[in-house]
Amino acid sequence: MVQFDVIVVGAGLVGRLFAVGLAQNGLNVALVDRDDTSRMLDATHDGRTTAISLGSQKIFARFGLWDAIAPHAQPIDYIRVLEDGSPWTLDYDAKEVSHEPMGYIVENVYIRASLYQATSSTLTVFAPEVMESVVRADDGVTVMLQSKQALKAPLIVAADGRHSALRAQTNICVQTKDYDQKAFVAHILHDKSHNNTAFEIFFKDGPLAVLPLTNDPITNAYRSGLVWCKPRCFDWDMYSDDGLSEFFKTCFPYYGDVTFQPRRWHYPLSYTKVNSMIDRRIALIGDAGHVIHPIAGQGVNLGWRDAVVLIETLSIAKAQGIDLGNPFLLKQYEKQRKYDRLGLLWTTDGINCLYQSQLPPVRFARNAAFAVLNYIKPFKRAVMRRAMGMM
C-alpha cells in the first residue's frame, strides 16, 4: 500500500496539468492512466487543435509549461463570426481589450509534449495501467490497480473524460444530450495568409471553425485547422481529396487554393451536465464534470480552470494540515466552479440550438444582432474578456 496526498485518474490535457500543478505545490500525487506515453504523444492519436485562451496561457506559464508550447502556438488577434448568406459579421479585435492576443491555436500533440516533459519527485505516474477497484471509506480512498499495486489517498480526482468510469461509481447524477452531430477535424495548406484570424461560420447544418496555425514546419506554407460540424449521417468519404478542397472553397473562398493534409479525424458531439462536481472523497475536473459543444472553443479551457481552482484549494488545505477529502473543502471547490461551468454549458447549448432554427424571424433576429453588437462596445469587450479567460 503506497500512500499519496491525491490520486488522479486520467492523464489527458486537464488531468496531466492538474497532477503537475499539484506536484509543483509539494503534494505527493499518483497519476493513473490506461494509455502509455508514446500513444499519447503520437500525432495520429489526436488530430485536434486547442484554442488556448489568454487566461489558460497564463496558467501554463505559471507552471513553467508555456516555453515548450510557444514555438508551436499561433496567436489569435482577430475573430470573425458570421452566418452563411448574411451581409453582417461580428468582429473581435484583441487590441480592443489587451496588448496581448485573445488566445492561441495549438495542436494537441504539442500541449501533451509540454505536459509530459514536466516531471517532479512528488509525481508518480502509473501508465499504462487500469484500475481494478476503488473503495472510498471514512479514512480515505484505496485503489487497486491491475498490476496489483495498491494506492491510498485522502482524495481521488476523476479526470478520465466524458465517459468517466470513476464518476460512474458515485451518486452524481448525469444529464446527457446527443447533438446527432460529428466534428470533422483536418488541417489545410492555403495560398493566402490567415493574418492571425479565426473564423466561425454558421451554416444550416452546422458551424465551421477555421483556425489559424503556425506555418507548415517543412514547406513554410500557410496552414489552418478546421473543425467542421455536420449531421452524424453526413458522409465525408464521398469526397476525393480534390473534391473536398473544392467543397471547402465553395463554403470558404477567402484563402485561395487549399490542400487538405492526409490525416483527418471525426468526433461525435454531445453535452454532459452533472448535478455536482463532488461526492464522498472525490472531485471531478474537465470532461468528467462537463462536456460542451465546441462551438465556442472553450471546453478544455473550462477544464483547466477547474484544475487551477482545485490545485489552489488543496494546496492551501495541505499547508494547513486539513484533510484533503474534507467535504467542506470539496464544497468550496464546487461553489467556486458552479457559475463558470453552468454558464458555459447553457451558453454553448443555447447558441447551437439557436442556429439550428431556420425560421425567417429567427434568422433575421440573430443576424441583426451581429450588426448591433459591433457597436455596443462595453458589451462586446465583456464578451471578449470572458472568452479570453480574463473574467
Side-chain angles (χ1 to χ4, degrees), residues 10 116 237 296 310 361:
Y116 275 87
D237 294 332
L310 193 53

Side-chain angles (χ1 to χ4, degrees), residues 120-377:
S120 170
S121 61
T122 60
L123 173 60
T124 304
V125 179
F126 298 88
E129 188 60 272
V130 177
M131 294 186 304
E132 281 198 339
S133 65
V134 179
V135 178
R136 292 177 291 147
D138 291 341
D139 63 340
V141 181
T142 302
V143 173
M144 181 63 71
L145 302 178
Q146 196 172 60
S147 63
K148 306 308 177 185
Q149 176 75 64
L151 316 177
K152 188 166 184 178
L155 177 70
I156 189 167
V157 175
D160 51 342
R162 65 181 65 199
H163 303 298
S164 172
L166 194 51
R167 184 189 64 210
Q169 300 183 39
T170 70
N171 293 316
I172 294 171
C173 296
V174 182
Q175 176 187 345
T176 62
K177 178 195 291 188
D178 186 344
Y179 285 121
D180 196 29
Q181 293 178 321
K182 61 183 175 184
F184 171 72
V185 176
H187 299 159
I188 59 171
L189 305 178
H190 44 88
D191 287 346
K192 298 179 182 179
S193 173
H194 49 56
N195 295 315
N196 300 359
T197 303
F199 287 84
E200 182 91 32
I201 306 173
F202 292 93
F203 294 94
K204 290 180 180 180
D205 56 356
L208 163 65
V210 184
L211 308 170
L213 291 173
T214 54
N215 287 4
D216 184 82
I218 298 174
T219 66
N220 202 38
Y222 297 123
R223 196 167 61 114
S224 292
L226 308 183
V227 181
W228 203 339
C229 302
K230 291 279 190 184
R232 189 165 294 171
C233 61
F234 189 87
D235 182 14
W236 289 100
D237 294 332
M238 67 180 173
Y239 292 102
S240 65
D241 289 351
D242 290 341
L244 188 57
S245 297
E246 290 303 315
F247 176 51
F248 173 75
K249 284 195 294 183
T250 63
C251 300
F252 190 88
Y254 310 110
Y255 285 170
D257 287 335
V258 302
T259 302
F260 276 77
Q261 296 191 288
R263 291 194 300 269
R264 298 154 199 174
W265 301 264
H266 301 86
Y267 300 96
L269 302 181
S270 62
Y271 161 109
T272 299
K273 174 180 172 290
V274 296
N275 70 326
S276 176
M277 295 283 282
I278 60 171
D279 197 58
R280 186 189 188 197
R281 293 196 175 274
I282 186 170
L284 313 182
I285 60 174
D287 282 1
H290 42 70
V291 177
I292 66 175
H293 197 284
I295 207 163
Q298 288 293 315
V300 181
N301 293 281
L302 186 62
W304 285 327
R305 293 198 291 273
D306 294 340
V308 167
V309 170
L310 193 53
I311 289 169
E312 293 171 348
T313 301
L314 296 177
S315 298
I316 293 170
K318 173 70 173 177
Q320 295 176 346
I322 298 172
D323 176 5
L324 299 186
N326 184 299
F328 296 103
L329 188 71
L330 298 184
K331 286 177 182 176
Q332 180 182 338
Y333 162 68
E334 161 82 6
K335 183 178 180 181
Q336 285 185 264
R337 296 302 302 138
K338 181 177 180 179
Y339 295 106
D340 186 19
R341 173 175 65 93
L342 293 180
L344 265 178
L345 277 164
W346 292 333
T347 299
T348 53
D349 185 55
I351 292 173
N352 186 59
C353 291
L354 176 67
Y355 278 91
Q356 286 183 334
S357 174
Q358 297 304 313
L359 293 173
V362 177
R363 281 181 58 88
F364 176 80
R366 66 192 179 216
N367 282 290
F370 277 7
V372 172
L373 288 176
N374 268 329
Y375 298 98
I376 306 177
K377 297 298 184 182

Side-chain angles (χ1 to χ4, degrees), residues 21-211:
L22 279 181
Q24 288 189 8
N25 281 358
L27 280 75
N28 193 15
V29 183
L31 178 60
V32 181
D33 196 271
R34 63 173 55 249
D35 285 320
D36 61 26
T37 302
S38 60
R39 182 169 185 267
M40 298 295 280
L41 294 178
D42 182 355
T44 63
H45 168 63
D46 182 0
R48 289 170 292 185
T49 56
T50 290
I52 300 180
S53 70
L54 181 61
S56 294
Q57 183 269 329
K58 294 186 183 302
I59 291 171
F60 276 86
R62 169 180 168 181
F63 295 125
L65 302 168
W66 183 249
D67 285 349
I69 297 174
H72 312 285
Q74 172 59 50
I76 307 171
D77 292 325
Y78 310 96
I79 298 176
R80 170 161 283 190
V81 184
L82 64 151
E83 183 169 5
D84 182 43
S86 170
W88 295 312
T89 64
L90 183 57
D91 297 295
Y92 298 104
D93 184 340
K95 294 193 291 292
E96 293 184 37
V97 295
S98 173
H99 65 280
E100 298 179 273
M102 281 180 279
Y104 301 83
I105 302 295
V106 186
E107 291 160 89
N108 285 1
V109 64
Y110 298 119
I111 304 174
R112 293 185 193 278
S114 170
L115 291 168
Y116 275 87
Q117 288 168 13
T119 59
S120 170
S121 61
T122 60
L123 173 60
T124 304
V125 179
F126 298 88
E129 188 60 272
V130 177
M131 294 186 304
E132 281 198 339
S133 65
V134 179
V135 178
R136 292 177 291 147
D138 291 341
D139 63 340
V141 181
T142 302
V143 173
M144 181 63 71
L145 302 178
Q146 196 172 60
S147 63
K148 306 308 177 185
Q149 176 75 64
L151 316 177
K152 188 166 184 178
L155 177 70
I156 189 167
V157 175
D160 51 342
R162 65 181 65 199
H163 303 298
S164 172
L166 194 51
R167 184 189 64 210
Q169 300 183 39
T170 70
N171 293 316
I172 294 171
C173 296
V174 182
Q175 176 187 345
T176 62
K177 178 195 291 188
D178 186 344
Y179 285 121
D180 196 29
Q181 293 178 321
K182 61 183 175 184
F184 171 72
V185 176
H187 299 159
I188 59 171
L189 305 178
H190 44 88
D191 287 346
K192 298 179 182 179
S193 173
H194 49 56
N195 295 315
N196 300 359
T197 303
F199 287 84
E200 182 91 32
I201 306 173
F202 292 93
F203 294 94
K204 290 180 180 180
D205 56 356
L208 163 65
V210 184
L211 308 170

